[in-house]
Amino acid sequence: MSYLEKHSDLTSQERDGLAVLEPRLGNSYIRQRLDLEASHEALALRQRRQFFSREGLLSSPPLIRGCLRLLGLQERARRNALAIEVRHHTVHIPHLPDVFEGFLLLHLSDLHFGMNDQFLDTLVQRLEPLCYDLCVLTGDYRALTFGQYEVALDGLKRLQPFFKSPSYAILGNHDTIRMVPVMESLGYRLLLNESTMVSRGNDFIYLAGIDDAGFYHMDNLHRAANDIPPGAVSILLSHTPETYHHAACAAFDLMLCGHTHGGQICLPGGIPIRTEAASPRRLARGPWQYRSMIGYTSAGAGTCIVDARLNCPPEITLHRLLCRPTPRSSSAGE
């Protein structure tokens, strides 16, 4: 009996889809991801019964909503959650090939389908007028970190026709490996510790993606960067900014991530109460730099735990690649 057959909770469709991925990703990777997901699901169910634990209290939707209600901020916070901004970030890469001057990357993160029935329509409205050359999604499509994922797949299916370019994606800590075969059948190219070449004429840049590093610790930067030639322009998709140090050591030029939601519910001035990432707080939102690597952490388009935002607008981001020196900035637009 194969390890896929031993997972009695897999449907026949899931089993067949994962079997197709084996030659590409390796059976040890798929087996480890499935086993870690099963362990997490059991732990998450236990924690949900322990409401008065520290984590249970801080992650309790009724408690957070109750606090917002007492402060008179609940309705405002819910409206904020749908006020998606388009932010612009200029990336200066001195060795960028001339044909990629002005190349535009559309960056979406932390969609968390199922948190708000109006979210998808609002997101599509913000996307429709935009022009870009490539779309990247940096994980977290499911509302919870466990349980059913059909709502997330349905959201991704409905969103895909609105993209005007190829779309590349990675998994976040809310996502299951079981989603990958269906996502790829919908037109998303998943980069799971893998890289791909993006060409224009006779020149190339490289796009790499790693699996979740902060929760499942399934990232493998060595494997993701293995086929990228020295000196080539390389962009890394990482769900969490926690991989910043290793990514810089691997000589990536640009790292795009999410996960933190920018804090989602922040103090005045956009100061996050929690970032959920074991990385410096300056990496929790917007542009940053570590050594020679430029980074950008999206505040995310969706919401997690509660459908509310304060002092931290949701965003979709357009990254413009330039060779000529220009100031890096991140500002709301359109």
Side-chain angles (χ1 to χ4, degrees):
M1 180 182 292
S2 73
Y3 74 94
L4 289 175
E5 292 172 333
K6 292 178 181 177
H7 277 268
S8 57
D9 58 332
L10 290 174
T11 67
S12 58
Q13 184 179 7
E14 290 171 337
R15 195 172 290 114
D16 292 343
L18 292 174
V20 172
L21 291 177
E22 276 188 344
R24 173 177 142 203
L25 301 178
N27 57 27
S28 61
Y29 167 81
I30 296 174
R31 180 171 62 247
Q32 186 178 359
R33 193 51 147 93
L34 285 172
D35 288 347
L36 288 171
E37 288 176 10
S39 297
H40 166 67
E41 183 139 354
L43 176 63
L45 291 173
R46 287 198 301 271
Q47 288 179 337
R48 283 170 73 90
R49 301 187 189 104
Q50 298 171 352
F51 175 80
F52 290 104
S53 68
R54 178 179 178 272
E55 289 302 312
L57 285 170
L58 292 175
S59 302
S60 167
L63 180 64
I64 297 171
R65 291 192 193 100
C67 290
L68 290 173
R69 193 180 302 115
L70 285 172
L71 294 169
L73 295 172
Q74 185 177 30
E75 291 306 314
R76 173 184 160 192
R78 293 185 64 187
R79 288 195 302 270
N80 290 347
L82 290 175
I84 302 172
E85 297 183 352
V86 178
R87 302 184 72 84
H88 300 267
H89 176 226
T90 300
V91 183
H92 171 227
I93 302 176
H95 56 294
L96 183 74
D98 290 341
V99 293
F100 283 95
E101 183 77 8
F103 192 84
L104 273 174
L105 283 165
L106 171 68
H107 178 196
L108 302 179
S109 195
D110 302 281
L111 302 178
H112 294 290
F113 290 108
M115 290 293 296
N116 187 311
D117 292 340
Q118 302 175 59
F119 170 69
L120 181 58
D121 289 338
T122 303
L123 178 62
V124 167
Q125 289 173 10
R126 301 302 283 147
L127 288 174
E128 282 187 316
L130 304 180
C131 296
Y132 43 89
D133 298 295
L134 198 68
C135 175
V136 297
L137 299 90
T138 50
D140 274 10
Y141 316 106
R142 184 166 60 170
L144 299 176
T145 59
F146 60 92
Q148 64 85 24
Y149 55 86
E150 288 76 15
V151 171
L153 290 177
D154 181 64
L156 289 165
K157 179 180 180 180
R158 293 167 59 194
L159 182 62
Q160 175 61 230
F162 295 97
F163 289 135
K164 302 168 185 174
S165 75
S167 50
Y168 293 86
I170 59 173
L171 296 180
N173 64 300
H174 279 244
D175 307 316
T176 168
I177 189 73
R178 307 174 197 212
M179 297 169 63
V180 173
V182 180
M183 287 182 67
E184 296 203 321
S185 74
L186 294 173
Y188 298 90
R189 166 69 196 279
L190 272 292
L191 296 174
L192 302 173
N193 300 321
E194 301 169 292
S195 66
T196 189
M197 193 166 55
V198 180
S199 63
R200 269 191 171 183
N202 296 321
D203 287 305
F204 310 94
I205 61 175
Y206 287 80
L207 183 67
I210 53 174
D211 197 356
D212 175 60
F215 192 92
Y216 287 112
H217 303 288
M218 290 292 293
D219 56 307
N220 188 329
L221 272 167
H222 173 73
R223 187 172 185 269
N226 190 56
D227 295 328
I228 301 176
V233 171
S234 56
I235 300 168
L236 177 67
L237 307 181
S238 171
H239 177 60
T240 172
E242 294 171 61
T243 54
Y244 73 99
H245 178 79
H246 294 293
C249 291
F252 281 98
D253 296 290
L254 174 65
M255 175 174 159
L256 303 178
C257 48
H259 178 62
T260 66
H261 291 238
Q264 188 169 311
I265 295 177
C266 295
L267 300 175
I271 301 170
I273 299 171
R274 302 179 74 191
T275 66
E276 305 296 341
S279 54
R281 290 174 75 84
R282 68 181 182 87
L283 275 59
R285 178 184 174 189
W288 46 269
Q289 184 159 350
Y290 180 73
R291 295 183 178 174
S292 61
M293 184 181 74
I294 298 166
Y296 189 95
T297 305
S298 170
T303 54
C304 186
I305 302 178
V306 292
D307 184 34
R309 279 185 178 265
L310 282 175
N311 304 306
C312 183
E315 70 173 81
I316 55 182
T317 317
L318 287 170
H319 303 278
R320 183 181 295 274
L321 307 186
L322 295 176
C323 179
R324 297 185 300 272
T326 54
R328 285 185 296 276
S329 63
S330 178
S331 59
E334 301 188 25

